[in-house]
Amino acid sequence: MSLYLKPLLFLYDSTLSLLLLLFSGWSLEDAAAAHERLEADNNAAESEWRQIQYLWRKTRSLVLLPVFKGLVVLCLVISIIVFLESFYMNFVILFVKLFRRKPEKVYKWEAMQEDVEVGPQNYPMVLVQIPMYNEKEVFQLSIAAVCSMLWPSTRLVVQVVDDSTDPVVREGVDIEIAKWQSQGINIRCERRDNRNGYKAGAMKEALTHNYVKQCDFVAVFDADFQPEPDYLMRAVPFLVHNPDVALVQARWIFVNANECLMTRMQEMSLNYHFKVEQESGSTRHAFFGFNGTAGVWRISAIEAAGGWNSRTTVEDMDLAVRVGLHGWKFVFLNDLTVRNELPSKFKAYRFQQHRWSCGPANLFRKMTMEIIYNKRVTIWKKFYVIYSFFFIRKVAVHFLTFFFYCIIVPTSVFFPEIHIPSWSTIYIPSLISIFHTMATPRSFYLVLFWILFENVMAMHRSKGTCIGLLEGGRVNEWVVTEKLGDLKKKLLSQVVPRKSCYERINSKEVMVGIYILGCAFYGLINGHTWLHFYLFLQATAFFVSGFGFIGT
């Protein structure tokens, strides 16, 4: 019985005694009996409350404290290995910068030149694929950029792999293709009558056409990607002069990075991915995950690995891992950039991050044993792929970012007996954040916003990772990331309807924000020194995202 019922019992017994006096007259015996009953009830209530308190103390000390302490220790261990991985990758990048280990110095590279006798026939045949699905706003940009690349027209085939279901988009693509065909470009469109396998299914079928058999290499550009004219001239020589190289990957740059705060923070995360993760993998192991676009493949390497596979939503990473396990090398070119568009709507970004976290976790589940039993690569490379590439970067970092900084640290205000060391909550996160911002120096002043926003997005990444590892219901969900093209022009030329408050609310972010805010107030009331300041900021970040005040 709760302690709060004791005053109610006292009022109840007092009222009965008063009514007895009013209707039956004064009786010392009745008054004494009422008093004795009141004392007995109070003693019973106090005894039950003490029993509840005793059970709670026992449960807290024997169950909750050990479990929470174990979770804290686990998070501290993951913090150390994530920091060591980040430090190692940045040390490799420092080594690359100091010794100027550019790919042109590591691999053989010579500019392509026409032969005096045979003309451009010494150039390899290159297939350029542009996969798209109802890309109404951007298909013209990508087709125009690809058709403007510097490469002999007789040695280039442009293939628009169009899975669009919108008749307006299909008609627009046909008109654009006809325009470039009239200018002498060998461009054609390939369509299917289904969407089986999504992008992987379309790409696999597109490579089966007869004219593809004469091509040596295939470059892939998603519908919003715009390569520079010299892209092929700079990338293809690595494949021509190095027969053990299967993939040359360019770095992404973003045409709308300054659109809003959300795109600025995305730029910080993706710059770190390319400039640190991709380049360190290329330098130390000649392996990294294909980004699905802005890369050139050796077609024979794709065929040797079994081609495109649609078993996960990260068909690009799946292909890269299988090709890498066949012993091929990958080259990342940090100086070769391709423009593209970042999602500027929060909902679109959430769907993208779900796919980018769920897919790798599901692929990790499906390929771990295949990697272990592989005999074509060294044990060191297998260890790198399983431990560093998959476990640390695709699984552990998401769980650490969300569960430690958004669940364990806030909950610690209820367990003052357990001390979380400062190095795990201040020093290590600060160093990792500095490592990330070094890839985008112009955004250094946004580091605090970036930390808070990354913690919010870690909730969706952790959820996606769990679904991928457990093969949950949304494991194969594929939502095409919405592109807007020239966003500023669109906002000026049309009225954008405002969503209602209910439509803008993201319930998961709001609920987590409420919990962290409650922990912040509890910490403030009970005198925690610095923790509640961080909790108030993090709760605010969840509320800003939860009520839709982020993105365009």
Side-chain angles (χ1 to χ4, degrees):
M1 183 180 296
S2 174
L3 182 64
Y4 298 107
L5 293 179
K6 294 170 67 175
L8 296 178
L9 288 174
F10 174 77
L11 291 175
Y12 172 75
D13 286 325
S14 301
T15 303
L16 288 180
S17 300
L18 181 61
L19 291 175
L20 184 65
L21 288 173
L22 289 175
F23 293 101
S24 302
W26 177 260
S27 173
L28 292 177
E29 292 80 2
D30 292 339
H35 179 72
E36 289 177 1
R37 188 170 72 251
L38 178 60
E39 287 292 330
D41 289 341
N42 288 339
N43 291 335
E46 186 173 354
S47 176
E48 286 190 29
W49 174 244
R50 288 179 178 175
Q51 186 176 5
I52 292 173
Q53 286 182 316
Y54 173 78
L55 291 175
W56 165 248
R57 285 194 297 267
K58 283 294 183 181
T59 303
R60 188 176 186 276
S61 60
L62 298 178
V63 179
L64 297 182
L65 272 175
V67 170
F68 189 76
K69 186 175 182 179
L71 292 174
V72 170
V73 171
L74 178 62
C75 289
L76 294 181
V77 172
I78 297 177
S79 296
I80 294 173
I81 63 176
V82 169
F83 169 74
L84 292 176
E85 176 69 15
S86 181
F87 179 81
Y88 164 75
M89 290 189 296
N90 280 272
F91 178 79
V92 172
I93 298 306
L94 180 62
F95 173 80
V96 170
K97 300 300 182 184
L98 290 177
F99 294 93
R100 299 181 180 179
R101 277 182 60 90
K102 289 188 175 183
E104 290 82 357
K105 294 183 178 180
V106 178
Y107 298 92
K108 184 179 179 181
W109 189 93
E110 294 179 5
M112 300 298 299
Q113 296 180 353
E114 289 191 14
D115 189 276
V116 177
E117 297 180 358
V118 299
Q121 295 304 311
N122 64 319
Y123 280 73
M125 284 292 295
V126 177
L127 173 71
V128 180
Q129 292 182 320
I130 310 176
M132 60 177 63
Y133 174 71
N134 293 337
E135 306 286 1
K136 179 180 179 181
E137 310 295 348
V138 295
F139 71 85
Q140 290 177 316
L141 297 174
S142 59
I143 293 176
V146 166
C147 292
S148 301
M149 289 194 295
L150 300 174
W151 198 259
S153 59
T154 59
R155 312 299 293 171
L156 182 69
V157 181
V158 179
Q159 186 185 63
V160 178
V161 185
D162 186 19
D163 264 7
S164 299
T165 55
D166 187 340
V168 176
V169 177
R170 291 164 72 104
E171 182 181 0
V173 170
D174 291 337
I175 294 173
E176 190 69 15
I177 289 175
K179 182 183 77 173
W180 287 101
Q181 285 176 338
S182 66
Q183 299 181 28
I185 301 297
N186 185 4
I187 180 172
R188 57 189 73 197
C189 181
E190 301 295 345
R191 292 192 174 102
R192 306 183 294 166
D193 57 2
N194 60 74
R195 288 202 69 215
N196 295 338
Y198 301 110
K199 179 180 175 181
M203 301 287 277
K204 189 179 184 70
E205 184 173 317
L207 289 177
T208 61
H209 296 282
N210 289 330
Y211 61 86
V212 175
K213 296 178 181 178
Q214 61 181 327
C215 299
D216 303 296
F217 312 116
V218 54
V220 182
F221 299 100
D222 283 351
D224 60 316
F225 279 72
Q226 305 163 51
E228 297 296 332
D230 64 344
Y231 176 89
L232 293 178
M233 289 293 188
R234 296 179 60 185
V236 172
F238 285 99
L239 296 164
V240 172
H241 301 299
N242 302 276
D244 57 345
V245 171
L247 169 66
V248 178
Q249 172 74 56
R251 179 166 60 90
W252 298 1
I253 58 174
F254 313 102
V255 296
N256 64 332
N258 294 324
E259 199 64 51
C260 60
L261 183 60
M262 191 181 80
T263 54
R264 288 289 296 273
M265 291 184 288
Q266 289 181 67
E267 181 191 36
M268 294 171 67
S269 298
L270 287 172
N271 279 349
Y272 179 80
H273 168 69
F274 283 103
K275 294 182 179 181
V276 178
E277 293 180 349
Q278 297 288 75
E279 188 162 10
S280 64
S282 176
T283 301
R284 290 288 297 119
H285 309 282
F287 172 80
F288 49 84
F290 176 45
N291 297 110
T293 179
V296 188
W297 280 97
R298 188 183 301 272
I299 294 180
S300 60
I302 296 178
E303 294 173 346
W308 292 91
N309 194 311
S310 60
R311 57 181 170 176
T312 68
T313 56
V314 284
E315 72 294 323
D316 44 10
M317 186 181 296
D318 188 339
L319 178 62
V321 174
R322 285 185 285 112
V323 172
L325 292 178
H326 276 70
W328 294 92
K329 294 181 179 180
F330 299 169
V331 177
F332 174 74
L333 302 180
N334 186 58
D335 296 333
L336 182 60
T337 58
V338 179
R339 292 169 293 165
N340 75 104
E341 179 183 325
L342 292 166
S344 58
K345 292 184 177 181
F346 185 57
K347 184 177 181 180
Y349 185 53
R350 283 175 57 183
F351 279 124
Q352 182 199 69
Q353 293 303 296
H354 171 81
R355 179 161 53 89
W356 284 6
S357 57
C358 178
N362 190 234
L363 183 64
F364 180 41
R365 170 193 172 112
K366 292 180 175 179
M367 289 205 69
T368 301
M369 299 310 297
E370 182 179 343
I371 297 170
I372 292 174
Y373 290 120
N374 183 276
K375 297 181 180 180
R376 297 186 182 92
V377 297
T378 64
I379 295 178
W380 172 242
K381 189 168 185 177
K382 289 192 285 187
F383 175 78
Y384 168 76
V385 174
I386 292 176
Y387 173 77
S388 179
F389 180 76
F390 273 119
F391 176 69
I392 300 295
R393 296 188 226 163
K394 312 303 180 187
V395 178
V397 70
H398 301 324
F399 285 114
L400 173 70
T401 306
F402 176 63
F403 286 106
F404 186 47
Y405 298 112
C406 299
I407 300 297
I408 298 298
V409 171
T411 307
S412 66
V413 300
F414 303 113
F415 297 94
E417 306 95 324
I418 298 178
H419 173 68
I420 300 179
S422 299
W423 58 261
S424 66
T425 55
I426 299 177
Y427 304 122
I428 280 184
S430 298
L431 287 173
I432 293 177
S433 300
I434 291 173
F435 290 155
H436 275 78
T437 52
M438 285 172 61
T440 314
R442 76 185 188 100
S443 299
F444 186 81
Y445 68 98
L446 296 174
V447 62
L448 179 59
F449 297 100
W450 177 80
I451 292 171
L452 299 174
F453 180 69
E454 281 293 292
N455 289 348
V456 174
M457 294 310 302
M459 176 180 67
H460 299 287
R461 294 172 185 144
S462 300
K463 179 183 175 183
T465 301
C466 289
I467 292 174
L469 290 174
L470 302 175
E471 290 201 326
R474 293 177 59 194
V475 67
N476 291 316
E477 180 184 64
W478 183 288
V479 179
V480 177
T481 305
E482 182 181 4
K483 290 96 176 177
L484 301 176
D486 190 347
L487 181 61
K488 292 183 178 178
K489 185 185 296 184
K490 295 184 188 308
L491 293 179
L492 291 173
S493 62
Q494 65 183 14
V495 177
V496 180
R498 293 182 62 86
K499 293 183 179 180
S500 66
C501 293
Y502 178 78
E503 291 176 326
R504 288 167 53 185
I505 291 178
N506 303 302
S507 58
K508 298 181 183 66
E509 286 87 345
V510 173
M511 288 189 292
V512 176
I514 292 173
Y515 176 74
I516 295 177
L517 184 63
C519 294
F521 277 116
Y522 185 89
L524 181 63
I525 293 171
N526 288 274
H528 289 274
T529 54
W530 62 272
L531 184 58
H532 57 275
F533 291 109
Y534 158 72
L535 296 182
F536 279 123
L537 290 174
Q538 190 62 71
T540 302
F542 272 97
F543 286 132
V544 169
S545 302
F547 289 107
F549 295 109
I550 191 167
T552 55

